[in-house]
Amino acid sequence: MTAARLAAQPAALQTAGAGLYLLIDPLLGDPVLPAPLDEGLPDEAINSARTEAWQRPTFALQLPVGLPMDTALAPYLVELTGASDPWLDASVQWAIQETVQTWQGDAPISVPHRVGGWLQSAAHGQALADHLSTLLRLRTQLPTQARYLRLADRRVLGLTTHVLGKVALTASLPLVQHWHWLDAHAAWASLSGPAPAALADELPLGAPAPPLPVFTPQQWQLMDQGPSIHRQMAHHIAHQLTQPDCAPPSRWASIGAAQWQAACAPTLAMTPGLGPQT
């Protein structure tokens, strides 16, 4: 499967004129640091330790204000040298391994998904990190104690894309040319921003990026059931693998809307007042 996914990388990854960034979610472990960073470190020290480990520039995202979580656990970007950077292939392999582990384990939601995806942008790394930080602040029409939308976990990104729709989501990505990730099938999925190269030049210096749309009550109820939905999807895939007529996973296409609906169906059925999402 690894060879197939590496050979089938999205053509957009070869696009010239945009920087390539690897998004990492270190909440449950960092892929390159030998030990967790000390709590309370300033951003400069955090980025310095990561830059030394990766031998690449790194840029920390900012967690939502008031979140009781150490800043070293926030997602961060690694600036790659391009599509030929060896860290690209290595991180694709990690993402595949993480996904396959969810098919094999009894508690798939507990498997760390450290690779949030690969982003292409004409923006400087710090500007892109600041922009992505605005997307981590959860905004809903329902009262909730949750504040953090963990989009650097690609499972959350996939569900958010399904719930909000690609059009609404990409409207909040003016600095992102493409966002690629591996979905629950370990297949390539992508979002493309709205002509980001042009918009990046038009945005005033220091202007705040547009946040994600506010989740409606129905949308947030579905998002709030994310762990159950991801578990349902992983169990379905594990069952699929036992069928004699199952195509090899290396040939699987990305998760489609119908498959998301099927994974969400048990949650929809058990949650009063929660109807299907489109």
Side-chain angles (χ1 to χ4, degrees):
M1 184 195 292
T2 299
R5 294 306 188 227
L6 289 173
Q9 290 179 16
L13 273 173
Q14 306 298 325
T15 303
L20 179 59
Y21 298 88
L22 168 63
L23 178 62
I24 294 294
D25 182 356
L27 184 63
L28 297 179
D30 192 288
V32 298
L33 293 179
L37 294 171
D38 294 336
E39 291 189 7
L41 290 176
D43 286 349
E44 294 80 6
I46 293 172
N47 282 330
S48 177
R50 291 169 174 165
T51 295
E52 182 178 357
W54 289 95
Q55 292 297 295
R56 302 287 186 276
T58 65
F59 307 91
L61 275 63
Q62 300 300 313
L63 293 168
V65 175
L67 191 71
M69 185 185 298
D70 190 71
T71 55
L73 299 179
Y76 66 94
L77 294 169
V78 182
E79 185 175 358
L80 304 182
T81 58
S84 61
D85 192 314
W87 283 122
L88 174 59
D89 284 4
S91 56
V92 170
Q93 293 178 52
W94 295 337
I96 292 172
Q97 292 166 1
E98 293 168 350
T99 303
V100 171
Q101 286 176 26
T102 68
W103 306 342
Q104 301 170 334
D106 294 329
I109 196 62
S110 66
V111 175
H113 277 49
R114 303 162 300 173
V115 182
W118 303 267
L119 291 86
Q120 293 173 274
S121 175
H124 181 267
Q126 190 57 59
L128 181 60
D130 293 343
H131 168 49
L132 294 176
S133 297
T134 67
L135 307 183
L136 304 182
R137 182 169 63 87
L138 177 65
R139 301 164 69 240
T140 80
Q141 294 176 358
L142 277 181
T144 176
Q145 293 184 340
R147 299 181 183 179
Y148 179 25
L149 184 63
R150 198 174 152 202
L151 285 180
D153 185 319
R154 58 189 185 274
R155 294 166 295 191
V156 178
L157 175 62
L159 182 57
T160 302
T161 302
H162 171 67
V163 170
L164 292 180
K166 284 190 174 183
V167 173
L169 188 53
T170 55
S172 298
L173 299 174
L175 296 187
V176 178
Q177 187 169 341
H178 301 286
W179 189 336
H180 312 283
W181 70 96
L182 293 180
D183 68 8
H185 275 171
W188 287 102
S190 298
L191 287 172
S192 296
L199 286 174
D201 293 335
E202 294 173 5
L203 288 175
L205 185 64
L212 285 175
V214 177
F215 288 97
T216 68
Q218 279 192 325
Q219 289 173 334
W220 174 243
Q221 285 177 315
L222 192 57
M223 290 295 301
D224 197 35
Q225 296 300 316
S228 297
I229 293 168
H230 301 311
R231 189 175 297 111
Q232 174 72 18
M233 188 172 288
H235 287 165
H236 172 72
I237 292 172
H239 175 73
Q240 238 185 317
L241 290 168
T242 67
Q243 305 307 303
D245 59 346
C246 177
S250 60
R251 298 181 186 173
W252 289 353
S254 59
I255 296 292
Q259 291 166 306
W260 272 114
Q261 289 298 125
C264 295
T267 296
L268 295 172
M270 292 186 294
T271 308
L274 188 58
Q277 301 294 305
T278 55

